[in-house]
Amino acid sequence: MSIVRVKSQFCHGISQYDRCSPNSACTCFYIAGALGVGICGDECVHHPRCHNHPVCYPIPSFNQKLCPPITTTNTTMTTISSTAPIMTIPITTTTVSSSVTPDKGICATATWAQNGQTVAGGNGSGSELNQFDRPFGLFVDENQTIYVADRSNERIMKWKRGASSGELVAGGKRQGARDDQLHYPIDVVVDQDETLYICDYNNKRVQKWLRDAQSGQTVIKNIAASGIARDNEGSLYVSDWTENIVKKWRVDETIGQVIISGLNRPCLLFVDLNQSIVVADHWNHRVIKVDNETTQISIVAGIGSAGRDENKLNLPLSVAVDQLGTIYVADTKNHRIMRWPRGAISGNVIVGDRGEGSRSDQLSEPSDLSFDSDGNLYVVDSGNNRVQKYSIDKSSC
């Protein structure tokens, strides 16, 4: 095996906005098992520790000028194995002060505005393009475009940043089981090609809709799909509401693998950077984690009984996790969003908890949450038929 030395400034994140260098040709070569963490470079790399497919950029030479670091503090050397020729390049390492993005971990002292800004919906219950009817699942992409499972309208809506109304991207043709219809869609996840994977709950299937498609394709059948996530290898993870399990489908697999069983109405779920699974165990008033490396199952939020104390949840529906292992929970019946630091036995409220209501500082049965690359928080305020954005206070870090 030959050795290539690349400018191994560590890079984080999975979006085009988290580059290694001002040179847009420089990219992350992601390390397998560490989603969002890799080594900067602009050469073709294919190595067992990286993804199966090499990443290549047609740069005639590889040097410090081509990939100047964004920030540097010191210089050292390292190597990675590859089939490319030997090259010796100075390494630069990046210092990050007070990181606030979810992929790098949101600092433990972060706070958010207590008054949310409505960025989708908020115009009452209805089926117009600027309305929702009991929205549920949420996906926020790298451009801060919002995708929402508008369940009672039997559709998926896309809201671009700053838009006053949304765009219909799937369903919306009344409830039904045709390929161009949905029936009570619960959740949605979107890949980089804007392909949608939808929990079509009442049709007991997962649908795949290509960008601009007029109909979908059933990729998983006979499942009461109540939550969906996708990892960096393209595997799908789906909660089954009636079977009380979570299953995993690798690419091109037709039979899913049971990852966890014995839950009590599992709902929305999250796959973290290590491909560990975190799921809202709804009727057990807790959040469960399955460690990918050890397969150990643990309770990471809640104690299994409903309540308003800081160590309790009340019918949680959704979770999110940052790279520090902090758990964020949509504590639905308590009308609040909670943060549970890694290993903590209790959490703290970050937004809501001011009684159920429609003021900008209140929530009504929040069903899902997500973060953008700046650490701003988005919440599906289901009872108010809106999506709220809570800006992070970066000075708090």
Side-chain angles (χ1 to χ4, degrees), residues 271-342:
V271 180
D272 73 12
L273 300 178
N274 299 312
Q275 296 185 4
S276 297
I277 302 164
V278 183
V279 58
D281 191 11
H282 184 61
W283 281 8
N284 278 329
H285 312 288
R286 64 187 184 182
V287 175
I288 297 295
K289 178 180 178 179
V290 183
D291 188 276
N292 180 51
E293 295 182 356
T294 66
T295 68
Q296 180 179 354
I297 299 173
S298 57
I299 300 172
V300 291
I303 60 173
S305 60
R308 296 185 60 83
D309 296 337
E310 289 192 341
N311 66 342
K312 293 184 178 181
L313 301 169
N314 191 352
L315 295 175
L317 283 174
S318 179
V319 293
V321 187
D322 69 17
Q323 192 171 324
L324 299 179
T326 304
I327 307 290
Y328 302 85
V329 187
D331 189 10
T332 303
K333 283 298 183 179
N334 283 327
H335 315 292
R336 65 190 184 185
I337 306 299
M338 295 197 72
R339 168 175 55 192
W340 291 64
R342 184 174 184 174

Side-chain angles (χ1 to χ4, degrees), residues 69-362:
I70 294 175
T71 58
T72 62
T73 56
N74 61 345
T75 300
T76 183
M77 300 293 293
T78 193
T79 63
I80 64 171
S81 299
S82 172
T83 56
I86 295 177
M87 288 182 246
T88 302
I89 306 294
I91 298 169
T92 53
T93 57
T94 301
T95 296
V96 180
S97 60
S98 302
S99 168
V100 294
T101 63
D103 288 333
K104 298 175 185 176
I106 299 173
C107 76
T109 58
T111 60
W112 289 261
Q114 294 305 294
N115 291 284
Q117 172 192 0
T118 301
V119 292
N123 297 297
S125 176
S127 59
E128 299 297 323
L129 293 179
N130 66 346
Q131 294 178 306
F132 294 124
D133 190 357
R134 303 297 291 182
F136 203 86
L138 170 74
F139 185 90
V140 180
D141 75 9
E142 59 192 19
N143 299 313
Q144 298 183 16
T145 299
I146 301 167
Y147 296 81
V148 180
D150 190 11
R151 54 179 166 166
S152 293
N153 280 324
E154 328 290 348
R155 66 188 184 183
I156 305 297
M157 296 294 292
K158 172 183 175 180
W159 288 64
K160 293 182 179 179
R161 182 179 181 180
S164 59
S165 62
E167 171 188 350
L168 177 66
V169 291
K173 298 184 177 180
R174 299 183 179 179
Q175 67 184 42
R178 298 194 315 254
D179 285 343
D180 64 344
Q181 292 177 307
L182 299 170
H183 191 183
Y184 212 67
I186 290 291
D187 197 14
V188 60
V189 65
V190 186
D191 71 14
Q192 292 183 342
D193 297 326
E194 296 188 36
T195 298
L196 312 175
Y197 297 87
I198 303 167
C199 290
D200 190 13
Y201 179 79
N202 275 351
N203 282 324
K204 294 189 175 181
R205 65 187 182 184
V206 172
Q207 287 284 91
K208 176 181 178 180
W209 287 62
L210 300 177
R211 180 179 179 179
D212 299 326
Q214 298 303 305
S215 62
Q217 170 192 1
T218 300
V219 292
I220 301 174
K221 299 179 180 179
N222 302 318
I223 184 168
S226 53
I228 189 166
R230 191 169 179 267
D231 68 20
N232 61 316
E233 296 176 347
S235 299
L236 291 175
Y237 303 74
V238 184
S239 301
D240 188 323
W241 180 263
T242 58
E243 295 296 326
N244 294 304
I245 59 177
V246 174
K247 299 180 77 173
K248 175 181 179 179
W249 280 261
R250 292 181 173 86
V251 175
D252 297 328
E253 284 186 342
T254 57
I255 299 177
Q257 172 192 1
V258 176
I259 302 298
I260 182 173
S261 60
L263 300 171
N264 196 352
R265 304 306 188 190
C267 205
L268 304 186
L269 69 162
F270 190 96
V271 180
D272 73 12
L273 300 178
N274 299 312
Q275 296 185 4
S276 297
I277 302 164
V278 183
V279 58
D281 191 11
H282 184 61
W283 281 8
N284 278 329
H285 312 288
R286 64 187 184 182
V287 175
I288 297 295
K289 178 180 178 179
V290 183
D291 188 276
N292 180 51
E293 295 182 356
T294 66
T295 68
Q296 180 179 354
I297 299 173
S298 57
I299 300 172
V300 291
I303 60 173
S305 60
R308 296 185 60 83
D309 296 337
E310 289 192 341
N311 66 342
K312 293 184 178 181
L313 301 169
N314 191 352
L315 295 175
L317 283 174
S318 179
V319 293
V321 187
D322 69 17
Q323 192 171 324
L324 299 179
T326 304
I327 307 290
Y328 302 85
V329 187
D331 189 10
T332 303
K333 283 298 183 179
N334 283 327
H335 315 292
R336 65 190 184 185
I337 306 299
M338 295 197 72
R339 168 175 55 192
W340 291 64
R342 184 174 184 174
I345 61 174
S346 63
N348 64 285
V349 177
I350 58 174
V351 298
D353 203 25
R354 303 191 181 198
E356 182 178 11
S358 59
R359 296 195 315 255
S360 62
D361 64 345
Q362 291 179 307

